[in-house]
Amino acid sequence: MPAQTARGAARGAARGEHTRGEHTRGEAAAPPPVHRYSVRGQILDALREALAAGELVPGQVYSAPALGASFGVSATPVREAMQRLAAEGAVEVVPNRGFRVVERGPRELAELAEVRALMEAPVVLRLARTVPAPRWDALRPLAEATVEAAATGDRSAYTESDRAFHRALLGFAGNAQLVALADDLHRRCPGPLPGAAPGRPAGLRADAAQHTALLEALGDRDLTAVRALVAEHYRSPADG
């Protein structure tokens, strides 16, 4: 079964349950069952998309059996996927009840944004001086994907395309550890960064437009424009 089937199930699970308090007894209609050969990975993808879309609500508690029933699988792969998300800081274990979606306050989001800026911005500026201009054309389809996702206001689609763009951008540095660490931070603090009205189409469109503008500046070897765009794209709300 394609991964999008599982992700659609997550949306149904979230909508069917997050109006019932702590979500420990969901009764959402069961979607088509997920194939067993990749069930854990599909469930993990589905939960990540539901988190990005806001369909798994911060502060709410979700039980593995209830979500598993909505997916048409046992609680075990859901619990395994949730444990992975707990290790990534997206949810926290609530003993004997399930998993609570982490609520990130303004200060924590600002701190994560600052760490992303400290890690990524200097790398992009270095790449602007060292990567041959024609190589940036390879990133244009990824930048266009963020524009398309932003135009629809689809937060989860935008989050995935935004992460793909940033992974490819940082990939030019040739440092797999950097890419992995940056990607983990991106999961914890998905773009647009706080202060850019996350979740609102206008905020998504502005963030996506910076991707295409950045590629133009990189292709033109316009270091002044690159510096300005990087400063804006990684701006923390604490910067005003």
Side-chain angles (χ1 to χ4, degrees):
M1 177 176 295
Q4 61 261 32
T5 301
R7 290 196 290 268
R11 289 195 288 269
R15 282 195 288 267
E17 293 184 2
H18 62 54
T19 57
R20 286 193 287 275
E22 294 181 344
H23 310 274
T24 56
R25 297 182 61 190
E27 298 177 356
V34 178
H35 284 325
R36 303 297 303 180
Y37 68 87
S38 60
V39 61
R40 182 172 63 177
Q42 290 189 53
I43 296 298
L44 181 59
D45 287 345
L47 292 172
R48 282 174 171 160
E49 181 170 328
L51 286 166
E55 293 167 345
L56 293 178
V57 181
Q60 295 288 355
V61 176
Y62 296 84
S63 75
L67 288 175
S70 297
F71 285 132
V73 300
S74 71
T76 299
V78 177
R79 191 173 290 112
E80 291 172 347
M82 283 291 198
Q83 292 288 355
R84 173 69 177 271
L85 293 172
E88 295 175 356
V91 301
E92 57 188 8
V93 178
V94 181
N96 302 317
R97 291 169 62 194
F99 300 85
R100 180 184 291 112
V101 179
V102 170
E103 293 185 271
R104 302 198 190 281
R107 179 173 180 175
E108 184 178 4
L109 288 171
E111 290 173 348
L112 287 167
E114 182 180 16
V115 174
R116 276 192 64 193
L118 290 170
M119 179 182 293
E120 296 186 41
V123 176
V124 177
L125 293 173
R126 174 168 59 84
L127 294 174
R129 296 189 295 270
T130 59
V131 174
R135 293 188 62 192
W136 295 113
D137 288 339
L139 272 60
R140 292 191 185 278
L142 297 175
E144 290 167 2
T146 68
V147 172
E148 292 171 4
T152 67
D154 186 334
R155 177 71 182 184
S156 61
Y158 186 83
T159 297
E160 288 305 309
S161 60
D162 184 47
R163 283 181 54 224
F165 175 83
H166 281 271
R167 282 197 303 268
L169 178 66
L170 295 175
F172 280 117
N175 187 325
Q177 297 303 315
L178 167 70
V179 174
L181 289 171
D183 198 47
D184 179 64
L185 280 172
H186 206 158
R187 287 190 190 281
R188 296 168 183 262
C189 180
L193 295 179
R200 294 176 53 191
L204 298 181
R205 288 195 295 267
D207 197 64
Q210 290 174 357
H211 292 160
T212 55
L214 178 60
L215 285 184
E216 290 294 332
L218 289 166
D220 292 340
R221 305 299 290 260
D222 186 342
L223 298 183
T224 299
V226 170
R227 289 190 190 93
L229 286 163
V230 166
E232 178 62 23
H233 196 64
Y234 292 99
R235 181 177 64 88
S236 164
D239 297 332

